Amino acid sequence: MIEGRAKRGWLWTLLALSAGLIAFSNYWKSSLKVKDVVIEGTKIVEKNEILQLSQIRAGTLLYDADLTSIQRNVLSHHYVKDATVERNLPSAIRISVVERLPLALVNGNEVRYLDEDGVVLPHSVSKALFDLPVLSGLPNADLWKLGSRVDDTDVQEALSILSTAKLVSKELFHFISEVQVRRGDIVLY
């Protein structure tokens, strides 16, 4: 009988400690506030732009920050290819960005870029200077929407040639000043 009471006593003590620990951890969790936003991986996009897109406010409770919404907002930037958002205890949110890198310039009514996947990027006012070959001979280039992917097989082949040249040697890539695309033919200058 004494053993049964001792076991129940330990059980009640363990339950009380568990409940206290849960209450304390919930109190602690609710006191964590965002004091810092760490942004990594930006070369073209300014960190301030990413911060504005994230819509994170200082003093927001760390666990009230909707990481999926923040990621979606950051991914809305044309130059952001991928983004990862995570909480860093006790007071930071880390945003890691993978940027789209322009591979070629398309000169139409507006200057636009294409990345290696054929995604149309706007002209960027950035600290990064782009020494890129010009894609010419593209009659419908002005109809391409920003952020869309160009599926034209000739354009994709030209981008593949440029990607390979850049991979083989940056010098080789920089020797190419223009890529003229004509139905089925691609001419490098």
Side-chain angles (χ1 to χ4, degrees), residues 37-42 47-48 50-51 93-97:
V37 178
V38 179
I39 299 170
E40 300 172 331
T42 58
K47 289 183 179 187
N48 195 34
I50 299 296
L51 185 59
I93 291 181
R94 178 180 309 277
I95 302 172
S96 299
V97 172

Side-chain angles (χ1 to χ4, degrees), residues 108-162:
N109 290 338
E110 298 177 37
V111 174
R112 294 182 177 179
Y113 301 113
L114 292 177
D115 77 347
E116 66 183 354
D117 298 322
V119 174
V120 182
L121 303 171
H123 177 68
S124 172
V125 178
S126 170
K127 293 179 193 173
L129 296 175
F130 304 126
D131 179 16
L132 301 173
V134 176
L135 276 181
S136 62
L138 306 169
N140 297 325
D142 289 326
L143 301 177
W144 297 342
K145 295 184 189 274
L146 293 176
S148 67
R149 184 176 187 274
V150 178
D151 289 325
D152 182 273
T153 54
D154 290 335
V155 172
Q156 287 296 324
E157 187 174 342
L159 293 173
S160 177
I161 291 168
L162 291 174

Side-chain angles (χ1 to χ4, degrees), residues 54-74:
S54 73
Q55 299 178 353
I56 300 170
R57 305 285 174 245
T60 300
L61 291 177
L62 191 63
Y63 283 92
D64 282 350
D66 182 355
L67 302 185
T68 304
S69 176
I70 294 168
Q71 181 185 35
R72 189 177 326 109
N73 292 343
V74 171

